[in-house]
Amino acid sequence: MLSIKKGQEATVEHIMLTASRYPITPKNISLPNQSDNHIALIFEQLTFFGHLRQLENGEYVRA
């Protein structure tokens, strides 16, 4: 189970839902009160824990 920091549930849910529809990159996600670096970190964590898979072109899809 992925340990999600309190208050980040909606961000993770949005990323996972979007990635299940089509390939995305962290730059495709724009959320208020979330920096580009923080969103990129969430992508890295989701990939590390096996929830996202990074494609050769740098895009991510749901694993």
Side-chain angles (χ1 to χ4, degrees):
M1 181 76 176
L2 180 63
S3 175
I4 300 173
K5 188 175 181 180
K6 187 162 180 75
Q8 298 301 313
E9 296 91 351
T11 301
V12 171
E13 186 176 327
H14 178 69
I15 291 170
M16 295 300 292
L17 182 62
T18 305
S20 69
R21 294 181 180 156
Y22 49 83
I24 59 171
T25 67
K27 296 289 183 189
N28 297 124
I29 304 295
S30 178
L31 299 169
N33 300 323
Q34 298 293 327
S35 70
D36 290 343
N37 290 337
H38 186 256
I39 291 174
L41 176 63
I42 292 173
F43 269 77
E44 289 177 19
Q45 291 174 334
L46 290 171
T47 302
F48 178 80
F49 289 108
H51 298 283
L52 291 179
R53 184 170 53 96
Q54 188 172 17
L55 304 175
E56 290 181 15
N57 63 1
E59 294 180 323
Y60 294 82
V61 292
R62 189 167 184 170

